[in-house]
Amino acid sequence: MSSLEEPLGFDKLPSMSTIDRIQRFSSGACRPRDDFGMGHRWIDGRDCTTSNSCIDDDRSFGGKESFPWRRHTRKLSEGELHLLQNISISGRTSTVSATLRESKSFKGHKYSTFSNDNGTPHITHKISKGIPKFVKIVEVGPRDGLQNEKNIVPTSVKVELIQRLVSSGLPVVEATSFVSPKWVPQLADAKDVMDAVNSLDGARLPVLTPNLKGFEAAVSAGAKEVAIFASASESFSLSNINCTIEESLLRYRAVTAAAKEHGVPVRGYVSCVVGCPVEGAVPPSKVAYVVKELYDMGCFEISLGDTIGIGTPGSVVPMLEAVMAVVPADILAVHFHDTYGQALANILMSLQMGISIVDSSIAGLGGCPYAKGASGNVATEDVVYMLNGLGVQTNVDLGKLIAAGDFISKHLGRPNGSKAAVALNRRITADASKI
Amino acid sequence: MQWNGARRAHSLWCKSLTNNTHLHHPSIPVSHFVTTTMSSLEEPLGFDKLPSMSTMDRIQRFSSGACRPRDDFGMGHRWIDGRDCTTSNSCISFVKESFPWRRHTRKLSEGEQHLLQNISISGRTSTVSATLRESKSFKGHKYSTFSNDNGTPHITNKISKGIPKFVKIVEVGPRDGLQNEKNIVPTSVKVELIQRLVSSGLPVVEATSFVSPKWVPQLADAKDVMDAVNSLDGARLPVLTPNLKGFEAAVSAGAKEVAIFASASESFSLSNINCTIEESLLRYRAVTTAAKEHGVPVRGYVSCVVGCPVEGAVPPSKVAYVVKELYDMGCFEISLGDTIGIGTPGSVVPMLEAVMAVVPADILAVHFHDTYGQALANILMSLQMGISIVDSSIAGLGGCPYAKGASGNVATEDVVYMLNGLGVQTNVDLGKLIAAGDFISKHLGRPNGSKAAVALNRRITADASKI
């Protein structure tokens, strides 16, 4: 189909059945059973501080579960299937340079192969050698994503979403939040959700706890991991949780002290790590200060959130530099919002800086809380697509992930917010226009 | 070509970089912290209480760092007499022009305005590490400043030192973007779009295509568009020409620069233009020969540089082959297109490695589609590899031609937003750019496809929910 000659007959391209496609999507997915990257904090008997030091190469998929939910038929051209299988869906661990050379899809050898060994391999190494071999994805859709929804999502739907996400191989799925139902009515069913998902195997299911009361409720409900939220911006802390940063840290020390007694790991979130809607730019030193405080009080992992999505690789780097000067890189996660379309570029830059944990939200759930209509969380499917392409292991089955995103998008009655999911879901139409 | 006076005029304008056109603004006190809270944890934040900016203030701020070089078109040695600079990265000059079109009011919080001014909109040239440290927005020094000089500066240098100081943006919206539209866009609207784009500082705006109206009815008005825009100053206005006939029509219509399209995938070439790669190259040699005689520069496009909808993965060596052929036949610049948007930084790097082994990096442009959301990451990686020319489309115009509903071109506003944040100069005024994108989106009756534009356009609502 051409701007220049005649229409391309896309209806003549071969298509795949649903089962074939799902099989191909699953081909490279694998899930480590015990590798949760917990580090030394709160867990007895674990040696690995990061999944990058002990990668479970057991790809026997003993725990692989087939999932009864099936996608409706979607057509991809044969070429694209080969492409996706070899490059992006397979999740094979391969070096950046080798990915395409290994491709079996090239039919014929009409053109001479130029040697790529002279030229710019040193640039490639410089850029890609910082990138971790394994990245842990922390899925925040059921909590961070859904909490912004106006219409209450039924508990059963939340539970099914969590089940699907766990089943796709995500190592961590943030299940809910134990906050006052007065302010977050969407998550008023926190206890019921926990009751239903507590028995799920294969992923950690942390919950948000804003204070000691929430913590206690969470523990009673069977939560095995919690998370707390501080801000790097004083104004935002006052606006958002009605207290200064210092007061919030005091509050959280009570939570971490109690958590220590219960043997419950605590994750720390820092919001406004690049910019604040009230103050503007947030100095990296402030971020580093709050990160250090959370680390010192016992958080095993700290997630750096660009709450208003204003960051670019230019502002992310100095922030990471400051933070990495005070805590180890392997306990840090990045939580970028895609409000200005910058999230994946920021994630790429963070990986190059040595970050190996990324927060994201299925189907891009969770709009920007400060701007009606603006986008918020980065979509997990887009992140996984990029990581697969980089040859970085995630243990996530992209096909199952897309199915989970479609499930919740369908329930919410909205288009899937992930571009990769939309592209992979599309039907190639015969009337597709030009190049 | 009329470039002979260029060098003298150019030297008049070649100033050192931006002299901190840091816009002076009255300091707005952080008057009252909003006392009601907005939180997933406590109470809603009263955003309607935040101070807002007038339209004029906002446009002024957006314009603060914008600048436009008059003669620095990065043409290289090919076809142009009397030019020394091979790339805009060696000689940068600015001339500001004001534009009569104004944006409708939009509110940004005070904090965001400070932020955008200092970090992203200002377009100041600053090193990656210095951007935030220079920020004047930090009120008070409650926390001790950790020294950033130990720790990881070497990583920063490693990652950012490849990134060019200046990136030339080639705007393809009026051609690549609009050609996919089902409803015919009136010539006057196309012309106004091009005027607005030129006025925003974009150095190159692809105006139209001289192809058979039978296949691209949207661009049947190519000659009329050219008649209207030929006199516009400040940007180059290349047009697409698929063959000698199109080339001749373009030149008659006053085009001063053309572009040709080859594919790195044999199957795609056959499907798309009904001939093999070799046959297409033969056809294009006729065009470049004629172009040379006329003194008209030719840009080469290569499609399917990562993947092809028919063949699958495209080997980097094939891409390098086609690029070299286009370069040897006289193209001054070659744009590498990830036509189906399937590339990631992992597949883009080996492709660029192969191509950069056979042609100079400074003649290469990247043309990524955002179909899988990967475009900005791919662009970032390309910049790190030394690429300094980026194709993009205003408001993300131009869906994926292979997938109904899937997105296509990367949005120029999002690219400029990122480049501003990296301290890379583009000479583009983001405010005017956003206005141009809103103009065409409004005409098409669609939401603006640029996330940065949507975010910057938004009204902060009082009923915004939680963090």
Side-chain angles (χ1 to χ4, degrees):
Chain A
M1 173 58 244
S2 155
S3 62
L4 311 175
E5 300 291 342
E6 306 161 26
L8 176 62
F10 268 110
D11 47 352
K12 298 191 185 65
L13 291 171
S15 64
M16 297 281 290
S17 74
T18 305
I19 303 292
D20 287 335
R21 185 186 32 72
I22 287 181
Q23 276 191 326
R24 286 189 184 211
F25 286 177
S26 302
S27 65
C30 38
R31 276 178 51 201
R33 285 291 197 89
D34 281 329
D35 183 13
F36 295 123
M38 292 298 290
H40 297 290
R41 316 185 88 87
W42 309 128
I43 317 288
D44 293 327
R46 278 192 65 78
D47 291 331
C48 309
T49 49
T50 165
S51 301
N52 279 303
S53 26
C54 49
I55 295 176
D56 185 358
D57 283 328
D58 179 1
R59 298 163 85 108
S60 58
F61 315 143
K64 197 159 131 177
E65 284 168 24
S66 68
F67 204 70
W69 284 268
R70 288 286 176 222
R71 282 283 298 112
H72 58 264
T73 306
R74 50 187 198 248
K75 289 183 182 173
L76 287 172
S77 73
E78 170 202 323
E80 284 178 303
L81 291 164
H82 287 166
L83 194 84
L84 292 169
Q85 183 184 350
N86 285 323
I87 291 176
S88 187
I89 304 293
S90 72
R92 286 186 310 184
T93 306
S94 40
T95 66
V96 163
S97 314
T99 307
L100 269 188
R101 291 186 202 126
E102 288 174 354
S103 165
K104 304 284 189 297
S105 293
F106 175 40
K107 295 175 171 44
H109 296 269
K110 200 165 194 177
Y111 306 98
S112 63
T113 306
F114 290 95
S115 162
N116 292 329
D117 294 328
N118 311 328
T120 55
H122 60 283
I123 294 181
T124 310
H125 294 153
K126 192 167 62 172
I127 295 170
S128 57
K129 77 176 166 189
I131 295 180
K133 295 193 198 62
F134 177 87
V135 162
K136 179 173 77 174
I137 294 185
V138 174
E139 170 60 48
V140 300
R143 195 274 309 168
D144 194 4
L146 288 185
Q147 79 181 10
N148 290 323
E149 291 296 322
K150 274 199 291 266
N151 300 321
I152 302 294
V153 175
T155 305
S156 58
V157 173
K158 287 181 181 129
V159 167
E160 182 173 343
L161 174 63
I162 293 171
Q163 285 171 337
R164 287 170 173 265
L165 292 169
V166 170
S167 186
S168 76
L170 289 159
V172 184
V173 178
E174 210 174 52
T176 187
S177 190
F178 282 83
V179 298
S180 165
K182 189 173 164 200
W183 302 122
V184 191
Q186 178 68 257
L187 304 179
D189 59 356
K191 186 179 183 321
D192 297 331
V193 169
M194 289 311 289
D195 286 343
V197 304
N198 261 333
S199 52
L200 282 180
D201 224 357
R204 287 163 28 211
L205 301 165
V207 300
L208 224 64
T209 57
N211 48 38
L212 200 50
K213 180 177 167 193
F215 173 77
E216 285 160 0
V219 169
S220 319
K224 300 192 195 72
E225 186 177 319
V226 300
I228 55 181
F229 249 91
S231 170
S233 152
E234 194 70 86
S235 324
F236 190 77
S237 187
L238 285 164
S239 313
N240 197 39
I241 53 177
N242 213 26
C243 62
T244 65
I245 295 177
E246 285 304 327
E247 286 166 350
S248 74
L249 293 176
L250 208 70
R251 188 190 294 176
Y252 294 137
R253 278 187 204 104
V255 175
T256 53
K260 202 182 298 198
E261 286 172 27
H262 284 81
V264 172
V266 181
R267 183 191 219 220
Y269 278 95
V270 182
S271 56
C272 294
V273 298
V274 178
C276 163
V278 183
E279 273 183 20
V282 174
S285 58
K286 290 177 78 176
V287 182
Y289 171 78
V290 177
V291 168
K292 185 84 165 65
E293 289 291 309
L294 290 174
Y295 183 71
D296 287 346
M297 74 172 72
C299 290
F300 78 95
E301 189 172 284
I302 294 164
S303 171
L304 307 166
D306 177 14
T307 307
I308 53 176
I310 215 162
T312 65
S315 47
V316 161
V317 166
M319 183 273 295
L320 287 177
E321 279 185 313
V323 170
M324 286 163 67
V326 298
V327 296
D330 57 6
I331 68 133
L332 293 170
V334 287
H335 186 117
F336 292 119
H337 278 187
D338 205 37
T339 316
Y340 290 75
Q342 309 295 307
L344 272 188
N346 290 338
I347 289 170
L348 178 64
M349 192 63 116
S350 304
L351 295 177
Q352 292 173 337
M353 298 275 295
I355 300 295
S356 61
I357 310 170
V358 176
D359 295 0
S360 60
S361 182
I362 188 75
L365 287 185
C368 180
Y370 295 97
K372 189 175 165 161
S375 87
N377 284 312
V378 66
T380 305
E381 302 92 316
D382 295 352
V383 174
V384 170
Y385 186 88
M386 180 173 79
L387 294 174
N388 282 351
L390 280 165
V392 172
Q393 267 203 305
T394 58
N395 306 318
V396 176
D397 179 327
L398 185 55
K400 290 182 175 173
L401 190 68
I402 288 172
D406 287 338
F407 163 76
I408 191 65
S409 300
K410 188 172 172 192
H411 172 85
L412 295 173
R414 281 209 303 269
N416 194 317
S418 155
K419 283 194 172 183
V422 167
L424 288 165
N425 276 344
R426 68 183 189 270
R427 300 184 73 83
I428 297 163
T429 54
D431 66 350
S433 52
K434 303 94 184 169
I435 301 306
Chain B
M1 295 300 294
Q2 298 78 19
W3 298 114
N4 292 327
R7 201 191 308 184
R8 184 165 53 86
H10 177 82
S11 68
L12 290 175
W13 286 311
C14 242
K15 299 182 170 100
S16 60
L17 305 177
T18 320
N19 320 333
N20 267 0
T21 47
H22 179 29
L23 183 70
H24 169 70
H25 65 279
S27 87
I28 301 172
V30 180
S31 48
H32 51 85
F33 288 140
V34 185
T35 51
T36 58
T37 60
M38 199 210 102
S39 161
S40 62
L41 312 175
E42 302 289 342
E43 307 160 27
L45 176 62
F47 269 109
D48 49 351
K49 298 191 184 62
L50 291 172
S52 62
M53 297 280 290
S54 74
T55 305
M56 293 304 289
D57 287 334
R58 187 184 32 73
I59 286 178
Q60 274 190 325
R61 284 183 187 216
F62 284 177
S63 301
S64 65
C67 35
R68 274 177 52 201
R70 282 294 194 89
D71 281 331
D72 184 14
F73 296 124
M75 293 298 291
H77 296 289
R78 317 186 87 88
W79 308 128
I80 316 288
D81 294 327
R83 277 192 65 79
D84 291 334
C85 308
T86 50
T87 164
S88 301
N89 279 302
S90 26
C91 47
I92 297 175
S93 64
F94 326 112
V95 174
K96 283 198 217 184
E97 279 177 23
S98 63
F99 199 71
W101 282 268
R102 291 283 179 223
R103 283 282 300 109
H104 59 264
T105 305
R106 49 187 199 248
K107 289 184 181 172
L108 288 171
S109 73
E110 169 204 322
E112 285 177 303
Q113 282 152 358
H114 288 168
L115 196 83
L116 292 169
Q117 184 185 344
N118 285 322
I119 289 174
S120 185
I121 304 291
S122 73
R124 285 187 309 184
T125 306
S126 41
T127 65
V128 163
S129 313
T131 308
L132 270 189
R133 288 183 206 128
E134 287 173 358
S135 165
K136 305 284 187 298
S137 291
F138 176 39
K139 294 174 172 49
H141 296 270
K142 199 170 193 173
Y143 306 99
S144 61
T145 305
F146 290 95
S147 163
N148 291 330
D149 295 329
N150 310 330
T152 55
H154 60 284
I155 293 180
T156 309
N157 292 341
K158 189 169 61 171
I159 294 170
S160 56
K161 75 177 168 188
I163 296 180
K165 294 192 196 65
F166 177 87
V167 162
K168 178 173 76 173
I169 295 186
V170 174
E171 170 61 46
V172 300
R175 195 274 311 166
D176 195 5
L178 289 186
Q179 77 182 11
N180 289 323
E181 290 296 322
K182 274 201 289 269
N183 300 321
I184 302 295
V185 175
T187 305
S188 58
V189 173
K190 287 180 180 130
V191 168
E192 184 172 345
L193 174 63
I194 293 171
Q195 286 171 334
R196 286 171 174 266
L197 291 169
V198 170
S199 187
S200 76
L202 290 159
V204 184
V205 178
E206 211 174 53
T208 187
S209 190
F210 282 83
V211 298
S212 166
K214 188 172 163 200
W215 301 122
V216 191
Q218 178 67 259
L219 305 179
D221 60 355
K223 186 177 183 320
D224 297 330
V225 169
M226 289 311 287
D227 286 345
V229 303
N230 262 334
S231 52
L232 284 181
D233 224 358
R236 291 169 17 219
L237 300 166
V239 300
L240 224 66
T241 56
N243 47 38
L244 200 51
K245 182 175 164 194
F247 172 77
E248 285 160 359
V251 169
S252 318
K256 300 194 193 73
E257 186 178 320
V258 302
I260 56 181
F261 248 91
S263 170
S265 151
E266 194 71 84
S267 322
F268 189 77
S269 189
L270 286 163
S271 313
N272 197 39
I273 53 177
N274 213 25
C275 61
T276 64
I277 295 178
E278 284 305 325
E279 287 166 351
S280 75
L281 293 176
L282 208 70
R283 187 189 297 176
Y284 294 136
R285 278 188 203 102
V287 175
T288 52
T289 304
K292 202 180 300 196
E293 285 169 25
H294 285 79
V296 172
V298 181
R299 183 190 219 221
Y301 279 96
V302 182
S303 54
C304 293
V305 299
V306 179
C308 163
V310 185
E311 274 183 19
V314 175
S317 58
K318 291 177 77 176
V319 182
Y321 172 77
V322 176
V323 168
K324 185 84 165 68
E325 290 290 308
L326 291 172
Y327 182 70
D328 287 346
M329 73 173 73
C331 290
F332 78 95
E333 189 171 284
I334 295 164
S335 172
L336 307 166
D338 177 15
T339 306
I340 53 176
I342 215 161
T344 65
S347 46
V348 162
V349 165
M351 183 273 294
L352 286 177
E353 278 184 313
V355 170
M356 286 163 67
V358 300
V359 296
D362 58 6
I363 67 133
L364 293 170
V366 287
H367 185 117
F368 291 119
H369 277 187
D370 205 36
T371 316
Y372 290 76
Q374 307 296 305
L376 272 188
N378 289 339
I379 290 170
L380 178 64
M381 192 63 119
S382 303
L383 296 177
Q384 291 174 338
M385 298 275 294
I387 300 295
S388 61
I389 310 169
V390 176
D391 294 1
S392 59
S393 182
I394 188 74
L397 286 186
C400 180
Y402 295 96
K404 187 173 166 164
S407 88
N409 285 310
V410 66
T412 305
E413 301 93 314
D414 295 352
V415 174
V416 170
Y417 186 89
M418 179 173 79
L419 294 175
N420 282 352
L422 280 165
V424 172
Q425 271 203 305
T426 59
N427 305 320
V428 174
D429 178 327
L430 186 55
K432 290 180 177 173
L433 190 70
I434 289 174
D438 287 337
F439 163 76
I440 191 63
S441 300
K442 188 173 171 190
H443 171 83
L444 294 173
R446 281 209 304 269
N448 194 317
S450 155
K451 284 194 171 184
V454 167
L456 289 165
N457 276 345
R458 68 186 190 268
R459 300 185 74 81
I460 297 163
T461 55
D463 65 350
S465 50
K466 303 92 184 170
I467 300 307

